[in-house]
Amino acid sequence: MDDRPYIAQRPKRADGQRNYDAILAAARKAFEASGSDASLEEIASQAGVAIGTLYRHFPNRASLVEASTRDGLENLVAQAGRLAADRDPLDALTEWMREAVVHFSTFRGLVGILTQSMYDEGTPSHAMCAAMHRSGADLLRAAQTAGSVRADLTPDELFDLMGAAAWVREQATSGRDGSPRLLRLMLEGVTTRSVPPS
């Protein structure tokens, strides 16, 4: 029996693609509005499909969350490479962390899902989270090699800091977002020179 987590893929047939894309678009809107516990029945209704069709494409909530956040994680991995190639190591790390915090807090509950997925190989998002973790660790090591970040900060601790800032952003109400200042304060605690302003 194959116990690998299910990773949803866009179907080859045109009708399947339309349904898949409609479900994914509806899921992203629903998650942003209602968090990770958004009703799957409501998502199916908004997509104009039966709940059985949703489950054919996404057999569980975790696979739907993974598909709806996959692009953002892929973008973070790619962005880490671009920043490493043409930015000062501390600037690269700082900019990447800011972008990661925004993605981690796309909707309520995502911080916890991504944190679990980072370390749990049985979750659908694990592979992309692990790739994103490696890209962040590479930026951290470059900043440490340059002497810009304290040498004893581990990649896991870096992600704990980002998770905390993302949680603050996720919980923000009525336009009040304290995460940029919180992240800056955190960075100032682990860097050996001033952090570039937001």
Side-chain angles (χ1 to χ4, degrees):
M1 179 176 171
D2 188 350
D3 58 358
R4 290 175 298 180
Y6 180 85
I7 308 295
Q9 300 296 328
R10 194 164 185 257
K12 292 184 170 62
R13 287 178 46 177
D15 57 342
Q17 290 176 6
R18 281 192 300 273
N19 288 340
Y20 180 95
D21 292 343
I23 294 166
L24 211 47
R28 286 172 174 147
K29 286 182 183 177
F31 289 147
E32 287 177 17
S34 305
S36 60
D37 292 330
S39 163
L40 297 185
E41 289 78 7
E42 182 62 23
I43 290 171
S45 175
Q46 290 300 312
V49 302
I51 189 65
T53 301
L54 183 149
Y55 280 120
R56 270 198 303 280
H57 291 288
F58 306 99
N60 52 46
R61 182 179 299 274
S63 64
L64 183 55
V65 169
E66 186 280 330
S68 70
T69 58
R70 185 186 308 159
D71 290 349
L73 293 173
E74 288 175 346
N75 288 339
L76 283 174
V77 172
Q79 181 71 345
R82 288 191 293 269
L83 289 169
D86 58 20
R87 292 280 191 93
D88 166 85
L90 180 58
D91 291 348
L93 177 64
T94 301
E95 177 63 25
W96 187 83
M97 289 178 69
R98 288 179 182 136
E99 293 187 20
V101 165
V102 170
H103 177 69
F104 291 1
S105 54
T106 302
F107 55 80
R108 288 191 314 279
L110 183 57
V111 173
I113 291 169
L114 295 179
T115 299
Q116 177 189 4
S117 297
M118 191 98 64
Y119 306 105
D120 183 351
E121 294 181 10
T123 58
S125 297
H126 174 72
M128 277 311 307
C129 282
M132 185 264 302
H133 189 283
R134 287 191 297 272
S135 64
D138 289 344
L139 291 174
L140 172 62
R141 280 190 289 272
Q144 289 171 322
T145 299
S148 300
V149 174
R150 55 187 293 170
D152 62 343
L153 182 68
T154 69
D156 284 350
E157 290 169 336
L158 177 77
F159 280 88
D160 287 343
L161 294 176
M162 291 192 300
W167 184 86
V168 167
R169 186 174 190 271
E170 181 182 282
Q171 301 302 310
T173 56
S174 52
R176 182 188 171 278
D177 177 10
S179 64
R181 174 170 166 75
L182 179 62
L183 184 58
R184 183 180 175 83
L185 291 171
M186 290 173 168
L187 282 165
E188 288 175 350
V190 299
T191 55
T192 59
R193 62 184 177 84
S194 62
V195 177
S198 301

